[in-house]
Amino acid sequence: MAETINGLIAEAKRNKYSLIPSLTENDAVSIWEAVSAFIVRQMVQQKGVTIAGLGTFTFSQKKIDVGSNKFIFIQRPVFVLSEKFAQTHSLQYTKHHTSGHIPILPLNFTMLSNETALDRDSVEMCVREVLQVLAHSLAARRIVHFDFSNV
């Protein structure tokens, strides 16, 4: 059976060394919904978002020559998995070619904190612990569905 974000959150909270025991599962889910909303907002503004240790949401751009000195510019959103993460877990993935012209921002934990009404440290620890459980699940060769809603 595949693990979902809710399962990963529950597993993170069950860890005896968890730094997020005071958060409810609903708090953790709302944090991940805020992460997804942050990514969407930045991408609407033509900016990418990097999640440290996991990867980067950005755009792949291509310039196609249609003749007569006319070009079509094609841009599509992509997720670029962190090479280190992929190598560590022996994941096969498609490498997307990105131009480097798109500004890339890190997750803004302060903004996420304001959106969720939780303190900044709890938000950051929740994100880090869920990513840690994701890595642990992949290392154990479990199937994981890790979705970002609306992205």
Side-chain angles (χ1 to χ4, degrees), residues 11 26-27 52 58 60 65 83 105 120-121 132 136 140 149:
E11 188 174 334
N26 287 339
D27 288 340
T58 187
S60 175
D65 184 0
E83 202 166 311
L105 306 173
R120 185 205 177 281
D121 290 338
Q132 211 169 31
H136 182 29
S149 58

Side-chain angles (χ1 to χ4, degrees), residues 4-56:
T4 63
I5 187 71
N6 290 348
L8 295 174
I9 291 168
E11 188 174 334
K13 288 184 62 58
R14 280 193 305 269
N15 182 344
K16 73 177 184 178
Y17 300 112
S18 176
L19 298 173
I20 59 168
S22 62
L23 294 179
T24 66
E25 285 189 35
N26 287 339
D27 288 340
V29 168
S30 71
I31 289 169
W32 280 99
E33 287 172 353
V35 168
S36 296
F38 177 80
I39 293 166
V40 169
R41 273 194 313 278
Q42 297 309 314
M43 294 192 79
V44 165
Q45 297 175 22
Q46 300 296 307
K47 297 176 184 175
V49 177
T50 189
I51 300 175
L54 182 64
T56 303

Side-chain angles (χ1 to χ4, degrees), residues 1-4 137-138 140-145:
M1 181 161 152
E3 293 210 37
T4 63
S137 294
L138 291 172
R141 299 285 180 213
R142 289 186 277 197
I143 298 171
V144 180
H145 291 285

Side-chain angles (χ1 to χ4, degrees), residues 52-118:
L54 182 64
T56 303
F57 290 89
T58 187
F59 295 94
S60 175
Q61 300 176 326
K62 289 185 182 177
K63 186 177 178 182
I64 299 174
D65 184 0
V66 293
S68 301
N69 285 336
K70 293 184 181 178
F71 298 92
I72 295 176
F73 194 66
I74 298 175
Q75 177 173 288
R76 65 184 179 110
V78 295
F79 177 72
V80 180
L81 187 64
S82 162
E83 202 166 311
K84 182 178 179 182
F85 189 84
Q87 288 175 352
T88 301
H89 301 291
S90 302
L91 300 175
Q92 293 183 354
Y93 64 103
T94 303
K95 291 184 182 179
H96 297 282
H97 188 49
T98 58
S99 67
H101 297 321
I102 303 293
I104 306 291
L105 306 173
L107 269 182
N108 186 331
F109 294 112
T110 302
M111 187 178 291
L112 295 174
S113 171
N114 290 337
E115 290 177 15
T116 59
L118 297 165

